[in-house]
Amino acid sequence: MNQKLIFTNLVGKAIDDLVDELGNPATYVIVDVNTAQYVLPTLTEQTHAVQNAHVITIKAGDVNKNLDSVQTVWKALHDAGATRNSVIINVGGGVVTDLGGFAAATFKRGIQVINVPTTLLGAVDASVGGKTGINFNGYKNEIGSFTEPLASIISTAFFVTLSQQELLSGYAEMLKHGLLENREELDTLLAYSVVYPIFDPERLLELLRRSVAVKQRIVEQDFTETGLRKALNLGHTIGHAFESLALRRQSPIPHGYAVAWGCVVSLVLSHLKLGFPSDVLHKFAQYVRTNYNAFDFSCDDYPALIEFMRHDKKNMTQDEIAFTLLADVGDPRVNTVVEPDDIRSALDIYRDLMGI
Amino acid sequence: MNQKLIFTNLVGKAIDDLVDELGNPATYVIVDVNTAQYVLPTLTEQTHAVQNAHVITIKAGDVNKNLDSVQTVWKALHDAGATRNSVIINVGGGVVTDLGGFAAATFKRGIQVINVPTTLLGAVDASVGGKTGINFNGYKNEIGSFTEPLASIISTAFFVTLSQQELLSGYAEMLKHGLLENREELDTLLAYSVVYPIFDPERLLELLRRSVAVKQRIVEQDFTETGLRKALNLGHTIGHAFESLALRRQSPIPHGYAVAWGCVVSLVLSHLKLGFPSDVLHKFAQYVRTNYNAFDFSCDDYPALIEFMRHDKKNMTQDEIAFTLLADVGDPRVNTVVEPDDIRSALDIYRDLMGI
């Protein structure tokens, strides 16, 4: 990995230092309508490079993470005279960093990027790994690139504007990293709460630093996701199935919640198939139940859920359903094939554990 | 550089060997309507991987090197079930390899590419350097990436279908590489003719191998074109000005011809500013005059030509006009600033040399 990861709550200074180091090139800030309103005014006060920047505002929401928005950014960059020496500063959640990153990676064959994630999910998940992308033709992240930013500035300073739901959604990915790391890290995370009254920006920044390091180690070993990187998919095949079922019911659920619930089912499967310790499973399930409640479904939904899992794009073939499971905390086993009977048993046990 | 460069006139075998090595993944061939007609039938006969491939045909011509065509390719890849393990085989000139390369670099964040250039210009110029791209918003190659193919298979086998003009256009880039290399290489090129009766596919393949090696050495030292790679721009700032003037007159000229004429003016400037040897200048000018005729203009066109040069995108600033010049054969000096008076003198001398 070549990108710089800067953990600080002095975001303005970090941006100015980076732009200084580059010899003060022209800067272009990409925001969405939300970060334009809630984050940009503060950053503009704190930061010369943002003060002097040309600001490009895109529409908010995953539904606008598309080619139309990318074309808007490309045109705006061209009209404002951006060159290969310019620097793009993405200020926002995953939509802004994914889309702004893709626009930058492809404008004049690539210009430099500084990412300033403003959501916990963006900080923990999108800031490492170099994934950029947009939705296309009805498929999520169908078009994109693996292109690392020059730097990601990771801060908890902007999280005060996030809802409790957004904080919990991001924290689910941190819990996942804890499961992939070791018991000590997991216990630390399960003893913390990302929402008030325990929330503390400096403490969260420290936890974030350690959580991002977990992802970083895994990504470095497998940048283009051919093997080990699939460990990061823990909880996601099942989580995606929950999201798809929720969409079909026309009541979508936050991604992070789906991941938290998906991790519970994955731990049940890990227990059944690989002897994952039941005390950890119970402790984890209890934390999720308390903080995230439960995704509610009955055994009538099992066929639909299994069908969604079968079509997950990370599967190697369409005949088998494969998961990332854990033999223990910190011991992931990617591409573990599981029979539908075991999935049904795991869903039964999940419903018991979550009290539904 | 990681890509394989394979020089062979047994193209079918080379493709099959590569696809074999990859474990015979699904293959997708991208052609334009011309190579679909003139090249694909032969390749299909010779090559299992092409026989079994899903073929995607795009419209021909630079005017179709745009986002619409890329979307067509993305959709076709999706509909035919392409995955990250699939391989794209681009069969065509620069439009196909540039656009197909960009589509591949961005589909599911990048899938592997084998390039089979079918024009001399494509073989000598587009096969090394990893440039992919499309025109956007009226600007050439405004959007793209630096993404190397897995391999380029360089062959002269398909050149029998090329016109004399296309052959000469590609050969101009080889002459440029000769100027960047050394006197021996340049003399060899000036003693050869790419058109009948001297044309000989095996001899040309050997010259091509050496010419591509020149570009390869330069690109390896400066992949993202921040310095030395600009040496490859020799003749291009002036050539682009000729192309722009020709476009304004509504009688476009082939790119390679513009480069050949631009190289002559560059050598005149090199002689005036850096003492480039006049015997080489005269010999080169004579070859160009004999094979390419001359681009015709009068001193009334000087202001327009200089204005075009001022706006060339490789200039560092808009106040100065900078060229790649040569102190001698094989001794390029990038970013050499030249005053308009010297440009006018050089254009005078060019007109004398070319007899216009």
Side-chain angles (χ1 to χ4, degrees):
Chain A
M1 195 184 67
N2 294 312
Q3 76 155 312
K4 291 179 194 173
L5 278 179
I6 301 165
F7 294 83
T8 179
N9 280 332
L10 302 171
V11 177
K13 183 172 178 334
I15 294 177
D16 280 342
D17 287 350
L18 283 166
V19 174
D20 248 13
E21 265 176 53
L22 294 170
N24 290 298
T27 47
Y28 297 80
V29 169
I30 302 180
V31 286
D32 67 15
V33 292
N34 294 326
T35 47
Q37 182 177 354
Y38 295 112
V39 179
L40 195 57
T42 314
L43 265 191
T44 305
E45 260 175 45
Q46 295 173 348
T47 323
H48 294 296
V50 173
Q51 248 165 53
N52 301 330
H54 182 94
V55 175
I56 300 168
T57 306
I58 60 172
K59 292 178 195 161
D62 193 70
V63 68
N64 293 303
K65 202 173 95 171
N66 58 26
L67 205 52
D68 283 345
S69 300
V70 173
Q71 291 189 67
T72 303
V73 174
W74 284 337
K75 283 199 180 108
L77 287 171
H78 178 89
D79 293 345
T83 72
R84 269 197 209 157
N85 298 317
S86 304
V87 173
I88 288 182
I89 305 171
N90 290 317
V91 178
V95 171
V96 169
T97 52
D98 281 7
L99 187 145
F102 181 64
T106 50
F107 183 74
K108 294 186 190 287
R109 298 202 181 93
I111 63 183
Q112 305 247 52
V113 166
I114 297 171
N115 276 337
V116 183
T118 57
T119 64
L120 180 55
L121 187 60
V124 72
D125 199 38
S127 62
V128 169
K131 285 187 178 178
T132 78
I134 54 171
N135 307 325
F136 177 72
N137 200 25
Y139 293 86
K140 282 180 71 80
N141 299 316
E142 178 84 345
I143 301 303
S145 68
F146 286 103
T147 311
E148 288 199 318
L150 175 71
S152 289
I153 301 171
I154 297 173
S155 154
T156 56
F158 308 117
F159 294 176
V160 288
T161 66
L162 300 179
S163 69
Q164 182 161 322
Q165 193 182 71
E166 286 172 301
L167 286 166
L168 282 165
S169 198
Y171 199 68
E173 297 282 353
M174 291 176 67
L175 292 172
K176 183 196 75 179
H177 291 167
L179 286 169
L180 292 170
E181 186 66 352
N182 58 43
R183 288 206 193 198
E184 194 188 337
E185 194 61 27
L186 181 64
D187 284 341
T188 306
L189 291 166
L190 294 179
Y192 181 78
S193 169
V194 76
V195 292
Y196 293 101
I198 301 183
F199 175 87
D200 158 359
E202 291 305 322
R203 174 75 177 138
L204 182 57
L205 189 62
E206 174 55 27
L207 292 176
L208 249 177
R209 183 199 304 268
R210 281 151 49 184
S211 192
V212 169
V214 174
K215 178 162 184 184
Q216 199 176 337
R217 273 197 300 278
I218 293 172
V219 167
E220 269 171 17
Q221 292 172 60
D222 177 25
F223 190 66
T224 52
E225 202 167 28
T226 49
L228 179 64
R229 188 161 174 174
K230 282 190 185 165
L232 295 168
N233 206 38
L234 182 67
H236 278 65
T237 301
I238 297 158
H240 288 152
F242 289 163
E243 286 182 88
S244 299
L245 185 62
L247 263 187
R248 185 181 285 178
R249 292 174 177 169
Q250 299 190 301
S251 64
I253 53 180
H255 174 67
Y257 282 56
V259 169
W261 298 323
C263 280
V264 173
V265 182
S266 300
L267 295 191
V268 174
L269 276 172
S270 297
H271 176 68
L272 296 176
K273 301 282 293 182
L274 305 169
F276 183 88
S278 69
D279 61 318
V280 183
L281 161 61
H282 280 90
K283 193 170 174 186
F284 188 88
Q286 185 57 46
Y287 185 93
V288 170
R289 184 177 171 177
T290 305
N291 288 278
Y292 296 84
N293 300 318
F295 183 62
D296 199 358
F297 57 90
S298 75
C299 48
D300 294 342
D301 298 310
Y302 289 8
L305 287 171
I306 290 172
E307 208 44 36
F308 285 127
M309 293 175 207
R310 200 183 294 281
H311 286 93
D312 193 274
K313 69 179 167 185
K314 299 275 169 68
N315 276 327
M316 303 295 281
T317 75
Q318 297 220 335
D319 304 324
E320 293 176 333
I321 305 176
F323 298 94
T324 295
L325 298 182
L326 296 174
D328 200 343
V329 180
D331 186 4
R333 306 292 167 94
V334 303
N335 299 326
T336 307
V337 175
V338 176
E339 297 303 316
D341 267 355
D342 287 327
I343 299 174
R344 281 185 281 270
S345 302
L347 293 173
D348 283 343
I349 296 171
Y350 163 89
R351 288 165 60 216
D352 275 352
L353 286 169
M354 306 305 271
I356 54 174
Chain B
M1 195 183 69
N2 294 313
Q3 76 155 311
K4 292 180 195 175
L5 278 178
I6 301 166
F7 294 83
T8 180
N9 279 332
L10 302 171
V11 177
K13 182 174 180 329
I15 295 176
D16 279 342
D17 286 351
L18 282 166
V19 173
D20 249 12
E21 266 177 51
L22 293 170
N24 291 298
T27 48
Y28 297 80
V29 169
I30 302 179
V31 287
D32 66 15
V33 290
N34 294 325
T35 47
Q37 184 177 355
Y38 295 113
V39 179
L40 195 57
T42 314
L43 265 191
T44 305
E45 260 174 44
Q46 295 173 350
T47 324
H48 293 297
V50 172
Q51 249 165 54
N52 301 330
H54 182 95
V55 175
I56 300 169
T57 307
I58 60 172
K59 293 177 193 162
D62 193 69
V63 69
N64 292 305
K65 202 174 95 172
N66 58 26
L67 204 53
D68 282 346
S69 300
V70 173
Q71 291 188 67
T72 303
V73 174
W74 284 337
K75 282 200 182 106
L77 286 171
H78 178 89
D79 293 345
T83 72
R84 268 195 208 160
N85 297 318
S86 304
V87 173
I88 287 182
I89 305 172
N90 290 316
V91 178
V95 171
V96 170
T97 53
D98 282 7
L99 187 146
F102 180 65
T106 50
F107 183 74
K108 293 185 190 288
R109 298 200 182 95
I111 63 182
Q112 305 247 50
V113 166
I114 297 170
N115 276 337
V116 183
T118 57
T119 65
L120 180 54
L121 187 62
V124 71
D125 199 38
S127 63
V128 169
K131 284 187 179 177
T132 78
I134 54 170
N135 308 325
F136 177 72
N137 201 23
Y139 293 86
K140 282 178 71 79
N141 299 318
E142 178 83 344
I143 301 303
S145 68
F146 286 103
T147 311
E148 289 199 315
L150 176 71
S152 289
I153 300 171
I154 297 173
S155 155
T156 56
F158 308 117
F159 294 176
V160 289
T161 67
L162 298 181
S163 69
Q164 183 161 321
Q165 194 183 72
E166 286 172 300
L167 287 166
L168 281 164
S169 198
Y171 199 66
E173 297 282 354
M174 290 175 67
L175 292 172
K176 184 196 75 179
H177 290 168
L179 287 168
L180 292 170
E181 185 68 351
N182 58 43
R183 288 204 192 198
E184 194 189 338
E185 193 60 28
L186 182 62
D187 284 342
T188 305
L189 291 166
L190 294 179
Y192 181 79
S193 168
V194 77
V195 292
Y196 293 102
I198 301 181
F199 176 87
D200 159 359
E202 289 305 322
R203 173 76 177 137
L204 182 58
L205 190 61
E206 174 55 26
L207 291 175
L208 248 177
R209 183 201 304 267
R210 279 149 53 182
S211 193
V212 169
V214 174
K215 177 162 185 184
Q216 200 176 337
R217 274 198 299 278
I218 292 172
V219 167
E220 269 171 19
Q221 292 172 60
D222 176 26
F223 190 66
T224 53
E225 201 166 29
T226 50
L228 179 65
R229 187 161 174 175
K230 282 190 185 165
L232 295 168
N233 207 37
L234 182 68
H236 278 66
T237 300
I238 297 158
H240 288 152
F242 289 163
E243 286 183 88
S244 298
L245 185 62
L247 261 188
R248 186 180 285 178
R249 293 173 176 171
Q250 298 188 303
S251 64
I253 53 181
H255 174 69
Y257 282 55
V259 169
W261 299 323
C263 279
V264 173
V265 181
S266 299
L267 294 191
V268 174
L269 276 172
S270 297
H271 176 66
L272 295 176
K273 302 281 293 180
L274 304 170
F276 183 88
S278 68
D279 62 317
V280 183
L281 161 59
H282 280 89
K283 193 170 174 187
F284 188 87
Q286 185 56 47
Y287 185 93
V288 170
R289 185 176 170 178
T290 305
N291 288 279
Y292 296 84
N293 301 316
F295 183 61
D296 198 358
F297 57 91
S298 74
C299 48
D300 294 342
D301 297 311
Y302 288 8
L305 287 170
I306 290 172
E307 208 42 37
F308 284 129
M309 293 174 205
R310 201 183 293 282
H311 286 94
D312 192 274
K313 70 179 165 187
K314 298 275 168 70
N315 277 326
M316 303 295 283
T317 76
Q318 298 221 333
D319 304 323
E320 294 176 329
I321 305 176
F323 298 94
T324 296
L325 298 183
L326 296 175
D328 200 342
V329 180
D331 187 4
R333 305 293 167 92
V334 302
N335 299 328
T336 306
V337 175
V338 176
E339 296 304 315
D341 267 355
D342 287 328
I343 299 173
R344 282 185 281 269
S345 303
L347 293 173
D348 283 343
I349 297 171
Y350 164 89
R351 288 167 59 217
D352 276 353
L353 286 169
M354 307 304 273
I356 55 171

